[in-house]
Amino acid sequence: AIYRETYPSCQPDLLDKISRIVGNPVLDCVHELRARRSELRVAWGIQGDQPAVLFMPQHLLYCEDASRARLIAHTLYKRHWSDLATVAFGPTYRTMLGQLQDWCRKENATIIVKSRSKHHDPAALREIADLHLVDTTEWYPPLSVAAMIAADLVVSVWSTSVFESAYLGCYNITLSVPTFYDQKFPSYHIFTPTLFEWPGVTKLVRHDGLRRFLAGHKPSDFRVDQVAQ
């Protein structure tokens, strides 16, 4: 139904075919990649049992490390009054990334950043990464799935990769950052609270509360509950 509302010009017979597809081919490679987990970690410079935190950014103005003035102007233009105080006084993207880096350094965790070529990654994102991965011409097996298998924790920004994280048994923390999305857009409705806040599987954390949240945890605290999974 979401696809029909979002893409009204798409041929109905094509959508009918899509609606009959079951499963997720992206995950067909999981068994093979799991068998190569140790190999992947060694190739990516993860030492022994060292915790690995995978950060997955998003294609958003906030994640381009836009200036505070630009974010405020955009908030006013979009009339997202509820975001104004956070945008004006909350942490910038660079500050938030620094908080994640500080925690990882304290916990001796390596940081893997998995981005996409379409993202406008700021220098701050590359600066925190021990390993910066970007999709290029190799589409299968998916680099993001391989990175999740190698990681011990996924930190993402409003990403439906929470589905893959849950399937792979890798705990997810979703950072709630300003999006400026039009909430009337049909596909916006898949972003329900329970998608990112499912006890034992994924946790939704406000970006201005990240430092406080991480201060009370160690990487080993984030384990997927198999029943909840």
Side-chain angles (χ1 to χ4, degrees):
I2 289 176
Y3 276 97
R4 292 182 188 281
E5 293 180 44
T6 308
Y7 307 106
S9 61
C10 189
Q11 297 178 9
D13 58 335
L14 177 60
L15 287 177
D16 288 340
K17 291 178 181 178
I18 292 176
S19 67
R20 293 193 183 100
I21 295 175
V22 296
N24 187 345
V26 168
L27 300 176
D28 287 348
C29 60
V30 167
H31 180 74
E32 175 195 347
L33 289 175
R34 276 184 170 151
R36 294 174 48 211
R37 185 174 190 265
S38 297
E39 176 188 335
L40 288 170
R41 286 172 63 91
V42 170
W44 287 343
I46 306 170
Q47 304 297 319
D49 295 330
Q50 181 185 26
V53 176
L54 171 62
F55 181 72
M56 303 183 73
Q58 190 56 273
H59 189 48
L60 297 171
L61 179 63
Y62 179 84
C63 296
E64 294 176 15
D65 200 22
S67 68
R68 194 178 295 276
R70 186 182 176 194
L71 288 172
I72 291 174
H74 199 72
T75 304
L76 295 174
Y77 172 73
K78 289 286 190 176
R79 299 184 179 183
H80 279 222
W81 313 122
S82 60
D83 288 331
L84 186 57
T86 301
V87 167
F89 304 108
T92 63
Y93 188 56
R94 180 179 292 270
T95 299
M96 186 186 71
L97 292 175
Q99 292 171 354
L100 178 62
Q101 182 184 38
D102 289 345
W103 180 74
C104 288
R105 294 292 175 263
K106 175 176 174 289
E107 300 297 336
N108 189 35
T110 190
I111 302 176
I112 304 171
V113 171
K114 163 57 183 69
S115 189
R116 296 181 178 179
S117 55
K118 71 176 183 180
H119 292 175
H120 303 294
D121 290 342
L125 184 60
R126 294 179 179 272
E127 289 168 4
I128 72 161
D130 297 303
L131 177 66
H132 187 267
L133 303 172
V134 180
D135 287 329
T136 52
T137 58
E138 297 181 14
W139 299 101
Y140 198 85
L143 194 54
S144 58
V145 173
M148 287 183 200
I149 286 175
D152 300 285
L153 170 66
V154 176
V155 180
S156 59
V157 178
W158 292 128
S159 173
T160 53
S161 63
V162 294
F163 291 119
E164 286 90 347
S165 294
Y167 179 78
L168 296 170
C170 192
Y171 197 93
N172 172 276
I173 296 173
T174 291
L175 298 178
S176 171
V177 309
T179 63
F180 310 111
Y181 284 160
D182 183 353
Q183 297 187 14
K184 295 180 181 179
F185 196 69
S187 61
Y188 182 87
H189 298 297
I190 69 171
F191 290 90
T192 61
T194 52
L195 179 60
F196 303 105
E197 181 73 47
W198 192 273
V201 179
T202 180
K203 176 71 177 175
L204 183 63
V205 178
R206 284 177 57 97
H207 74 297
D208 53 355
L210 179 62
R211 182 188 293 277
R212 183 171 58 255
F213 174 77
L214 291 178
H217 293 89
K218 293 184 174 296
S220 57
D221 294 338
F222 300 109
R223 295 288 181 265
V224 168
D225 181 283
Q226 292 185 350
V227 175
Q229 181 188 17

